[in-house]
Amino acid sequence: MKETVNKNITLALSKGRIFEDTLPLLEEAGIKVSESPEKSRKLIIQTSDPNLRILILRASDVPTYVQYGAADLGIAGKDVLIEHSAQQPGGLYQPIDLNIARCRLAVAVRKDFNYKDVVKQGSRLRVATKYIQSTREHFAAKGVHIDLIKLYGSMELAPLVGLADAIVDVVSTGDTLKANGLVAVEDIMPISSRLVVNQASLKNRGVFLQPLLDAFSRATNLHE
Ligand code: ATP
Ligand code: PRP
């Protein structure tokens, strides 16, 4: 009996900036997405390509769906990928930096907090973040001892109410820090979003995935 080949491709995205920034890349590949996840509230969205569907997930869940093969490929920020691979290493191939959702990971403190002196004196620093792995690595490399407090969002609040001396968060325009009386005192790394591909999908169904990977590559170069 002839084996049927599964040509269907599932792409995992998060709604908001990654979904919005991916639409033009898909359009370059001739693929239109008719529904907005914000409006329809659907979690599975079809596209003009009958073989391509999109899953709408929390940003930090995208690598998990791709790693376990529930999605063939996905788009996630470098910040999210570093945290994910520290928890659940392996199974993900990262072929393309799409250069979308660009920001930077930075250390920020209250305007009146003397970060340099505290670090120079070798005092312990209380740091609140959702980026545990990147934060640990950053301060370990500097030889600064920290107490880490894990948060899931609204990090800017922590130094204002005495929960932490510093935060590690992504910064783009700097408006959120400014609005909360905080300043960035150290850049940790530039961040952008990358395409991640399930290694087994690439191995077994690479012929169907490759045209989409090539289209993402071309579109990224065009947008640079
Ligand atoms: P989750 O919903 O899982 O908590 P999140 O709220 O960080 O994650 P988004 O706000 O959609 O998810 O951000 C997606 C990605 O976009 C982040 O992982 C980061 O790489 C990047 N990003 C976050 N904030 C900004 C920003 N202000 N400007 C540009 N890029 C950003
Ligand atoms: C992100 C991040 C900062 C803000 C930085 O929040 O957590 O708070 O962007 O951007 P800015 O430097 O341009 O102000 P986001 O807007 O994604 O809100 P969320 O974390 O609640 O999703």
Side-chain angles (χ1 to χ4, degrees):
M1 207 170 65
K2 209 175 139 207
E3 214 177 296
T4 50
V5 187
N6 177 11
K7 292 185 188 173
N8 297 328
I9 298 173
T10 301
L11 169 67
L13 297 178
S14 52
K15 66 179 169 195
R17 56 175 63 88
I18 289 189
F19 181 84
E20 299 302 330
D21 288 0
T22 302
L23 289 183
L25 303 181
L26 288 171
E27 277 191 17
E28 296 285 353
I31 297 163
K32 286 208 159 35
V33 181
S34 46
E35 273 175 313
S36 141
E38 310 281 355
K39 282 197 194 124
S40 77
R41 304 189 65 83
K42 280 190 187 160
L43 301 177
I44 302 180
I45 296 186
Q46 304 301 332
T47 71
S48 58
D49 178 342
N51 294 123
L52 178 69
R53 63 177 187 168
I54 295 173
L55 305 186
I56 302 297
L57 310 173
R58 274 296 285 270
S60 44
D61 289 334
V62 166
T64 307
Y65 274 69
V66 178
Q67 182 169 22
Y68 286 96
D72 299 293
L73 63 175
I75 296 176
K78 186 177 174 187
D79 50 334
V80 164
L81 292 170
I82 290 172
E83 299 308 312
H84 175 85
S85 61
Q87 296 292 320
Q88 299 171 266
L92 289 180
Y93 172 58
Q94 283 187 45
I96 309 167
D97 179 352
L98 298 170
N99 246 320
I100 58 173
R102 286 165 66 172
C103 50
R104 64 190 209 272
L105 197 63
V107 182
V109 297
R110 274 167 67 140
K111 268 198 303 215
D112 56 4
F113 183 80
N114 198 334
Y115 178 74
K116 268 201 183 132
D117 279 0
V118 171
V119 166
K120 218 190 280 163
Q121 285 155 12
S123 316
R124 280 186 91 85
L125 200 67
R126 239 173 352 145
V127 185
T129 188
K130 69 175 178 184
Y131 303 108
I132 295 290
Q133 182 66 19
S134 296
T135 301
R136 245 192 218 129
E137 282 175 17
H138 174 72
F139 286 104
K142 283 170 63 75
V144 173
H145 294 289
I146 57 165
D147 293 317
L148 262 176
I149 300 172
K150 164 84 184 177
L151 292 178
Y152 293 87
S154 300
M155 262 83 80
E156 293 85 0
L157 190 59
L160 305 183
V161 295
L163 179 64
D165 303 314
I167 60 167
V168 168
D169 196 6
V170 293
V171 179
S172 173
T173 59
D175 288 352
T176 311
L177 292 182
K178 202 166 165 205
N180 292 290
L182 304 181
V183 283
V185 284
E186 240 162 38
D187 281 350
I188 298 180
M189 68 179 90
I191 300 287
S192 55
S193 283
R194 283 110 209 278
L195 195 66
V196 285
V197 185
N198 175 276
Q199 278 176 351
S201 294
L202 194 64
K203 190 160 168 254
N204 302 326
R205 297 190 302 117
V207 278
F208 306 118
L209 286 180
Q210 200 58 51
L212 190 58
L213 299 190
D214 292 343
F216 271 123
S217 254
R218 275 196 309 274
T220 303
N221 292 335
L222 276 177
H223 283 253
E224 259 170 27

